[in-house]
Amino acid sequence: MPPDALPVSARQILIATIAKSVYTTPMSSTPSQMMIAMPPGRMHHLWFAGLALAGHLLLWQWSTPAIRPAPTVSPKLAPVTVQLTVKPTVTARAAPTPPPRAPAGESKQPQIAARSQAMPAPPAASISLSENIGVASTAPEASAQTGSLHQLSELSSSITLDPVTVLTPLTESDQSLSLHGYAAIAPDNAVLKTKLVSESPGKNPVYGLGEIAFQIQDGRYQVKVQAGLDLLLTTLNLYQMQSEGNWTEFGLQPQTMSEKRSNRSETATHFQHDSQTINFSSSNRSTALQAGAQDRASIFLQLSALGKGSPQLFQAGQQLRVQVAEDREAQEFLFQVKAKEILKTRMGELETWHIIRPPRAGKYNSTLEIWLAPGRQWYPVQIRNTQSNGTVTSQYVTAILNPEKGSS
């Protein structure tokens, strides 16, 4: 039994016995002397106590668990997932440089660079309609066909014309002639196939297709102007204008002009010859009807008929005036015969009379130009409108289809 397991009284007796044995032995005595000096009974107890103490110490040493350092435990780290997001590179686009402004005092009409006379086939594009004449034009990078249906105004072809003549407002001279009262001869019925192009400052040209159809029969005439988008198997018509009326010895006498755009309701202009007024469906306005008045669809055929019947009207420098009704109002157009010019077209070189309607102060700001070809029934083989903001819309004939004579 280990000493610490003994009762308290027994342990005290054992310790006291050992202490008494030790402290009562003289320090100067040798071991042998001490053994001789001790009586036999005490010696026996001393050996017994030493052996017991040694045994208890051994038992205590064996029974005590070894203290070992705790093993080093490496912490187990949870895996961490890192997701990197790379932002796309953004390339800044430089804003288009606006066209330079004209210095104060100079004409606001922009100078248009000379264009080649070559006529390659233009690419297909969306189209829209010019507000000034019945030709078509587009909306832009569009992008999109829906947007083009909202503006049929930027039509054209890759043919390029002579430089635009920038004119100041024209003042009527004392020698200006009214187109009414001159003999007219009906040109042959025909369909003029046209290409159109619209060019605006700082923008790419926009192309389209169109046609002008003339028909005079049994004292009646009809003029149709169409513009549309050329698709793979068909043509999507986006603009139509039609003029109808009587044919007289002085040419066309309009009764109704209708106009339909893809994004607008149809409008009509009515010529009331009995009351000598012109009425407009798009407004409550009416205006006085002048003798020989035309609408903006019939004016081209009227000029052809006068060219055939009264060619003396077309002399360089001559001014010609005529009232022209549009969808909301009627104004007097003042044309000026510029000169004879040779045009290179897909039908060959054509001799033409170049007629200009310059801007007129207080009336209109755009310039309208028409090229009439005497060798082709005086048909208008080229038309161009230049707006005050620099937009140029051109329409030119690529083929003439005569029902009676075939195409040319």
Side-chain angles (χ1 to χ4, degrees):
M1 179 180 295
D4 55 355
L6 296 172
V8 177
S9 58
R11 282 186 294 176
Q12 290 176 348
I13 294 172
L14 177 61
I15 295 171
T17 302
I18 297 172
K20 183 177 179 181
S21 303
V22 174
Y23 288 112
T24 57
T25 303
M27 297 298 296
S28 59
S29 300
T30 62
S32 61
Q33 291 176 343
M34 291 174 61
M35 295 177 63
I36 297 173
M38 289 182 184
R42 183 177 295 180
M43 189 65 179
H44 175 77
H45 289 293
L46 181 61
W47 279 104
F48 176 78
L51 291 172
L53 179 61
H56 282 81
L57 290 174
L58 289 173
L59 291 174
W60 177 79
Q61 179 69 25
W62 292 341
S63 61
T64 303
I67 300 176
R68 299 181 178 88
T72 303
V73 179
S74 300
K76 187 176 182 181
L77 301 178
V80 178
T81 303
V82 179
Q83 183 175 1
L84 301 179
T85 302
V86 181
K87 294 184 178 180
T89 304
V90 179
T91 305
R93 295 183 179 178
T97 305
R101 297 182 179 178
E106 292 187 7
S107 171
K108 294 183 180 180
Q109 296 280 348
Q111 293 285 350
I112 308 298
R115 310 177 187 126
S116 164
Q117 296 291 339
M119 301 180 357
S126 331
I127 54 180
S128 53
L129 174 70
S130 168
E131 291 288 340
N132 296 312
I133 59 174
V135 294
S137 58
T138 171
E141 298 22 60
S143 201
Q145 181 175 344
T146 302
S148 67
L149 294 178
H150 288 290
Q151 302 177 342
L152 177 55
S153 70
E154 318 229 345
L155 290 177
S156 86
S157 131
S158 49
I159 183 173
T160 48
L161 312 177
D162 295 332
V164 173
T165 303
V166 179
L167 301 175
T168 56
L170 181 64
T171 302
E172 184 177 354
S173 69
D174 296 336
Q175 288 76 32
S176 65
L177 300 176
S178 171
L179 289 181
H180 176 63
Y182 288 90
I185 298 177
D188 294 340
N189 296 337
V191 176
L192 310 183
K193 295 292 185 178
T194 62
K195 299 288 185 180
L196 304 103
V197 61
S198 181
E199 300 169 286
S200 298
K203 297 181 181 180
N204 292 328
V206 183
Y207 304 95
L209 298 173
E211 70 176 34
I212 304 173
F214 304 139
Q215 184 175 6
I216 301 174
Q217 186 175 358
D218 300 330
R220 299 284 296 176
Y221 83 87
Q222 184 181 75
V223 180
K224 289 184 179 180
V225 178
Q226 299 185 64
L229 178 63
D230 187 24
L231 303 179
L232 182 61
L233 299 176
T234 185
T235 298
L236 177 62
N237 291 324
L238 301 179
Y239 173 78
Q240 292 181 343
M241 182 168 56
Q242 181 170 307
S243 175
E244 295 181 338
N246 298 319
W247 170 259
T248 72
E249 58 179 329
F250 303 122
L252 281 64
Q253 186 183 64
Q255 291 182 326
T256 303
M257 181 196 73
S258 61
E259 188 173 352
K260 180 68 176 69
R261 305 174 189 232
S262 61
N263 60 333
R264 299 183 187 179
S265 300
E266 183 174 354
T267 61
T269 302
H270 301 279
F271 295 77
Q272 307 292 344
H273 294 278
D274 294 339
S275 60
Q276 297 294 300
T277 59
I278 303 175
N279 301 323
F280 309 93
S281 67
S282 58
S283 69
N284 295 325
R285 297 180 55 187
S286 63
T287 188
L289 173 65
Q290 297 179 12
Q294 301 295 319
D295 57 55
R296 63 179 179 181
S298 67
I299 182 61
F300 304 112
L301 182 56
Q302 177 68 3
L303 290 172
S304 298
L306 291 175
K308 290 192 68 175
S310 302
Q312 70 276 10
L313 293 173
F314 298 91
Q315 303 294 329
Q318 181 65 59
Q319 290 186 0
L320 306 172
R321 64 181 188 273
V322 61
Q323 185 185 36
V324 177
E326 300 181 90
D327 58 341
R328 293 178 178 272
E329 60 184 354
Q331 299 186 58
E332 186 179 68
F333 282 15
L334 186 60
F335 290 97
Q336 184 173 28
V337 181
K338 184 181 178 182
K340 278 188 176 182
E341 295 179 2
I342 302 297
L343 289 185
K344 294 180 180 180
T345 72
R346 289 186 178 180
M347 300 174 292
E349 291 189 353
L350 300 178
E351 183 182 74
T352 64
W353 276 106
H354 186 186
I355 303 171
I356 303 176
R357 188 213 64 181
R360 196 171 183 187
K363 300 216 178 261
Y364 39 81
N365 297 321
S366 63
T367 299
L368 175 62
E369 300 174 80
I370 305 171
W371 284 260
L372 301 174
R376 294 299 179 95
Q377 298 285 311
W378 287 79
Y379 293 138
V381 293
Q382 195 162 272
I383 303 169
R384 182 167 60 198
N385 187 75
T386 305
Q387 301 180 27
S388 58
N389 65 359
T391 299
V392 180
T393 303
S394 304
Q395 181 177 14
Y396 56 92
V397 175
T398 58
I400 300 175
L401 307 180
N402 295 104
E404 296 86 2
K405 301 179 180 180
S407 61
S408 61

